[in-house]
Amino acid sequence: MSNSTFRGAVSRRALLATGAALGTLATLSAPIAIAQEPLKVAGIYTVPVEQQWVSRIHIAAVAAQERGDIDYTYSENTANTDYPRVMREYAEQGYDLIVGEIFGAEAEAREVAAEYPDVAFLMGSSFKEDPALPNLAVFDNYIQDASYLTGIIAGAMSESDNIGMVGGFPIPEVNRLMHAFMAGAREMNPDVTFQVSFIGSWFDPPKAKETAYAMIENGADMLYAERFGVSDAAKEKGVLAIGNVIDTQADYPDTVVASAIWHFEPTLDAAIAAVKAGEFTAADYGLYSFMKEGGSSIAPYGTFEGKIPEAALDMVREKAAAIESGEFSVEINDEEPKSS
């Protein structure tokens, strides 16, 4: 499935036109102010909350609820065609903040947000915020810093110099992580090559597994597990894997060397604080996923302590320090990655 097809052929121009047309429906000057304690927060997800990307949002929301900042409920497995309806239902029920991911329903979701200017919407999106919709802020998993560091490790540990990469869809939030990983691997090992494939689904472990099998048959001895199922193939075939967004080493102790972890807590906590302070408005919350903001990290090496080449660990430490200090920036490349 192509990038444009997945997003429902929504272009930036179309979104800007939609925002302009809806501008009269939105309150353009005053940010949203909510006095209620705790906030009523709803999550709307197109996949199960166990899915790695959504699980990070869910975990952060549960933590906020446990400390008393919010009352949280959620809907999972919501089809893109049903997404606007579910948004309206939560808005009508008086929820203060609605969190979710609108990659497959961009224009429709923004229309709903315009209908409820007193509700704050924090949505994962491939597009930027629209000033005509001051109650809708966007975010994304900008964890390219951690992905770059795991690439260094992968480049050092691949003996065949052949790395397989299995992704869901070639959209910016996937592409940028793959490119960062590839850059890190090349930094460590200039001879490394890549097999890149997308399965056209966010949650199809059997398909991801079969795709990974084919890459292993084609010489890959290291896999980038952007989707569930890839690490299963690596485990069964005796090759290594790098995780994405969550740490799965406990499930694959002899397979997953390292993982780039997304921490959604800084993003959600900033939105909660903004709503409570009456300062929530159209903004890009993506920066809260950067490593220097605490939004991403590299997982502990666990069972692979002492097995990773020291040269790679030295480079990881050096680059991580440079990222934290601002001396080094990992390139953000949203273009679709290709096989070598």
Coordinates of all heavy atoms in Angstrom, one line a residue, residues 164-203:
G164 N 18.1 -7.1 7.4 CA 16.7 -7.0 6.9 C 15.9 -6.1 7.7 O 16.0 -6.1 8.9
M165 N 15.0 -5.3 7.0 CA 14.2 -4.3 7.7 C 12.7 -4.5 7.3 O 12.4 -4.3 6.1 CB 14.7 -2.9 7.4 CG 16.2 -2.7 7.7 SD 16.7 -1.0 7.4 CE 15.9 -0.2 8.7
V166 N 11.9 -4.8 8.3 CA 10.5 -5.0 8.0 C 9.6 -3.9 8.7 O 9.6 -3.8 9.9 CB 10.0 -6.4 8.4 CG1 8.5 -6.6 8.1 CG2 10.8 -7.5 7.8
G167 N 8.9 -3.1 7.9 CA 8.1 -2.1 8.4 C 6.6 -2.3 8.1 O 6.2 -3.2 7.3
G168 N 5.7 -1.5 8.7 CA 4.3 -1.5 8.4 C 3.9 -0.8 7.2 O 3.6 -1.5 6.2
F169 N 4.0 0.5 7.2 CA 3.7 1.3 6.0 C 4.9 2.3 5.8 O 5.5 2.8 6.8 CB 2.4 2.1 6.2 CG 1.2 1.3 6.2 CD1 0.6 0.9 7.4 CD2 0.5 1.0 5.0 CE1 -0.6 0.1 7.4 CE2 -0.7 0.2 5.0 CZ -1.2 -0.2 6.3
P170 N 5.2 2.7 4.6 CA 6.2 3.7 4.4 C 5.8 5.1 4.6 O 5.7 5.9 3.6 CB 6.6 3.4 2.9 CG 5.4 2.9 2.2 CD 4.7 2.1 3.3
I171 N 5.4 5.4 5.8 CA 4.9 6.8 6.1 C 6.0 7.4 7.0 O 6.9 6.7 7.5 CB 3.6 6.8 6.8 CG1 3.6 6.1 8.2 CG2 2.5 6.1 6.0 CD1 2.4 6.2 9.0
P172 N 6.0 8.7 7.1 CA 7.1 9.4 7.7 C 7.6 8.9 9.1 O 8.8 8.7 9.4 CB 6.6 10.9 7.9 CG 5.7 11.0 6.7 CD 5.0 9.7 6.6
E173 N 6.6 8.5 10.0 CA 7.0 8.0 11.3 C 7.7 6.7 11.3 O 8.3 6.3 12.3 CB 5.7 8.0 12.2 CG 4.4 7.7 11.6 CD 3.9 8.8 10.8 OE1 4.0 10.0 11.2 OE2 3.4 8.6 9.6
V174 N 7.6 6.0 10.2 CA 8.3 4.7 10.0 C 9.6 5.0 9.3 O 10.7 4.6 9.7 CB 7.5 3.6 9.3 CG1 8.3 2.4 9.0 CG2 6.3 3.3 10.1
N175 N 9.5 5.8 8.2 CA 10.6 6.0 7.3 C 11.8 6.7 8.1 O 13.0 6.3 7.9 CB 10.2 6.9 6.2 CG 9.2 6.3 5.3 OD1 9.0 5.1 5.3 ND2 8.5 7.1 4.5
R176 N 11.5 7.7 8.9 CA 12.6 8.4 9.6 C 13.3 7.5 10.5 O 14.5 7.7 10.7 CB 12.0 9.6 10.3 CG 11.2 9.4 11.6 CD 10.8 10.7 12.2 NE 9.9 11.4 11.4 CZ 8.6 11.6 11.6 NH1 8.1 11.0 12.7 NH2 7.8 12.3 10.8
L177 N 12.7 6.6 11.2 CA 13.3 5.7 12.1 C 14.2 4.7 11.3 O 15.3 4.4 11.7 CB 12.3 4.9 12.9 CG 11.3 5.8 13.7 CD1 10.5 4.9 14.7 CD2 12.0 6.9 14.5
M178 N 13.7 4.2 10.2 CA 14.5 3.3 9.4 C 15.8 4.0 8.8 O 16.9 3.4 8.9 CB 13.7 2.7 8.2 CG 12.7 1.7 8.6 SD 11.9 0.9 7.2 CE 11.2 -0.6 7.9
H179 N 15.6 5.2 8.3 CA 16.8 5.9 7.8 C 17.8 6.2 8.9 O 19.0 6.1 8.7 CB 16.3 7.3 7.2 CG 15.8 7.2 5.8 ND1 16.6 6.8 4.8 CD2 14.6 7.4 5.3 CE1 15.9 6.8 3.6 NE2 14.7 7.2 3.9
A180 N 17.3 6.6 10.1 CA 18.2 6.8 11.2 C 19.0 5.5 11.6 O 20.2 5.5 11.8 CB 17.5 7.3 12.4
F181 N 18.3 4.4 11.7 CA 18.9 3.1 11.9 C 20.0 2.8 10.9 O 21.1 2.4 11.2 CB 17.8 2.0 12.0 CG 18.3 0.6 12.1 CD1 18.6 0.1 13.3 CD2 18.6 -0.1 10.9 CE1 19.1 -1.2 13.4 CE2 19.1 -1.4 11.0 CZ 19.3 -2.0 12.3
M182 N 19.6 3.0 9.6 CA 20.5 2.7 8.5 C 21.8 3.6 8.6 O 22.9 3.1 8.4 CB 19.8 2.9 7.2 CG 18.7 1.9 7.0 SD 17.5 2.3 5.6 CE 18.5 1.8 4.2
A183 N 21.6 4.9 9.0 CA 22.7 5.8 9.1 C 23.7 5.3 10.2 O 24.9 5.4 10.0 CB 22.2 7.2 9.3
G184 N 23.1 4.9 11.3 CA 23.9 4.4 12.4 C 24.7 3.2 12.0 O 25.9 3.0 12.4
A185 N 24.0 2.3 11.3 CA 24.7 1.0 10.9 C 25.8 1.3 10.0 O 26.9 0.7 10.1 CB 23.7 0.1 10.2
R186 N 25.6 2.2 9.0 CA 26.7 2.6 8.1 C 27.8 3.3 8.8 O 29.0 3.2 8.3 CB 26.1 3.5 7.0 CG 25.2 2.8 6.0 CD 24.8 3.6 4.8 NE 23.9 3.0 3.9 CZ 22.6 3.4 3.8 NH1 22.2 4.4 4.5 NH2 21.8 2.8 2.9
E187 N 27.5 4.1 9.8 CA 28.5 4.8 10.6 C 29.5 3.8 11.2 O 30.7 4.0 11.2 CB 27.9 5.7 11.7 CG 28.9 6.5 12.5 CD 29.4 7.7 11.7 OE1 28.8 8.1 10.7 OE2 30.4 8.3 12.2
M188 N 29.0 2.7 11.6 CA 29.8 1.7 12.3 C 30.4 0.7 11.2 O 31.5 0.3 11.4 CB 28.9 0.9 13.2 CG 29.7 -0.2 14.1 SD 30.7 0.6 15.3 CE 32.2 -0.2 15.1
N189 N 29.7 0.5 10.2 CA 30.1 -0.5 9.2 C 29.7 0.0 7.8 O 28.6 -0.3 7.3 CB 29.4 -1.9 9.5 CG 29.8 -3.0 8.5 OD1 30.6 -2.7 7.6 ND2 29.2 -4.1 8.7
P190 N 30.6 0.6 7.1 CA 30.3 1.2 5.8 C 29.9 0.1 4.7 O 29.4 0.5 3.7 CB 31.6 1.9 5.4 CG 32.3 2.2 6.7 CD 32.0 1.0 7.5
D191 N 30.2 -1.1 5.0 CA 30.0 -2.2 4.0 C 28.6 -2.8 4.1 O 28.2 -3.6 3.3 CB 31.0 -3.3 4.1 CG 32.4 -2.8 3.8 OD1 32.6 -1.9 2.9 OD2 33.4 -3.3 4.5
V192 N 27.8 -2.4 5.1 CA 26.5 -3.0 5.4 C 25.5 -2.7 4.3 O 25.5 -1.6 3.7 CB 26.0 -2.6 6.8 CG1 25.5 -1.2 6.7 CG2 24.9 -3.5 7.2
T193 N 24.7 -3.7 3.9 CA 23.6 -3.5 3.0 C 22.3 -3.8 3.6 O 22.2 -4.5 4.7 CB 23.8 -4.4 1.8 OG1 23.8 -5.8 2.2 CG2 25.1 -4.1 1.0
F194 N 21.2 -3.4 3.0 CA 19.9 -3.5 3.6 C 18.8 -4.1 2.7 O 18.8 -3.8 1.5 CB 19.4 -2.1 4.1 CG 20.3 -1.4 5.1 CD1 21.2 -0.5 4.6 CD2 20.2 -1.7 6.4 CE1 22.1 0.1 5.5 CE2 21.1 -1.1 7.3 CZ 22.0 -0.2 6.8
Q195 N 18.0 -4.9 3.2 CA 16.8 -5.4 2.5 C 15.6 -4.7 3.2 O 15.5 -4.8 4.4 CB 16.6 -6.9 2.6 CG 17.7 -7.7 2.1 CD 17.5 -9.2 2.3 OE1 16.5 -9.8 1.8 NE2 18.4 -9.8 3.0
V196 N 14.8 -3.9 2.5 CA 13.7 -3.2 3.1 C 12.4 -3.6 2.5 O 12.2 -3.7 1.3 CB 13.9 -1.6 2.8 CG1 12.8 -0.9 3.5 CG2 15.3 -1.2 3.4
S197 N 11.4 -3.9 3.4 CA 10.1 -4.3 2.9 C 9.0 -3.8 3.9 O 9.3 -3.6 5.1 CB 10.0 -5.8 2.8 OG 8.7 -6.2 2.2
F198 N 7.8 -3.4 3.3 CA 6.7 -3.0 4.1 C 5.5 -4.0 3.9 O 5.3 -4.4 2.8 CB 6.3 -1.6 3.7 CG 7.3 -0.6 3.9 CD1 8.3 -0.2 3.0 CD2 7.5 0.1 5.2 CE1 9.3 0.7 3.2 CE2 8.5 1.0 5.4 CZ 9.4 1.3 4.4
I199 N 4.9 -4.3 5.0 CA 3.8 -5.4 4.9 C 2.4 -4.8 4.7 O 1.5 -5.6 4.5 CB 3.8 -6.3 6.1 CG1 3.5 -5.4 7.4 CG2 5.2 -6.9 6.3 CD1 3.3 -6.3 8.6
G200 N 2.3 -3.5 4.7 CA 0.9 -2.9 4.4 C 0.0 -3.1 5.6 O -1.3 -3.2 5.4
S201 N 0.5 -3.2 6.8 CA -0.4 -3.4 8.0 C 0.3 -2.9 9.2 O 1.6 -3.1 9.3 CB -0.8 -4.9 8.1 OG -1.5 -5.1 9.3
W202 N -0.4 -2.4 10.2 CA 0.2 -2.1 11.5 C 0.2 -3.3 12.4 O 0.9 -3.3 13.4 CB -0.6 -1.0 12.1 CG -0.5 0.4 11.5 CD1 -1.5 1.2 11.1 CD2 0.7 1.0 11.1 NE1 -1.0 2.4 10.5 CE2 0.4 2.3 10.5 CE3 2.1 0.7 11.1 CZ2 1.3 3.2 10.0 CZ3 3.0 1.6 10.6 CH2 2.6 2.8 10.1
F203 N -0.6 -4.3 12.1 CA -0.7 -5.4 13.1 C -1.0 -6.7 12.3 O -2.2 -7.1 12.2 CB -1.7 -5.2 14.2 CG -1.6 -6.1 15.3 CD1 -0.5 -5.9 16.2 CD2 -2.5 -7.1 15.6 CE1 -0.4 -6.8 17.3 CE2 -2.3 -8.0 16.7 CZ -1.3 -7.8 17.5

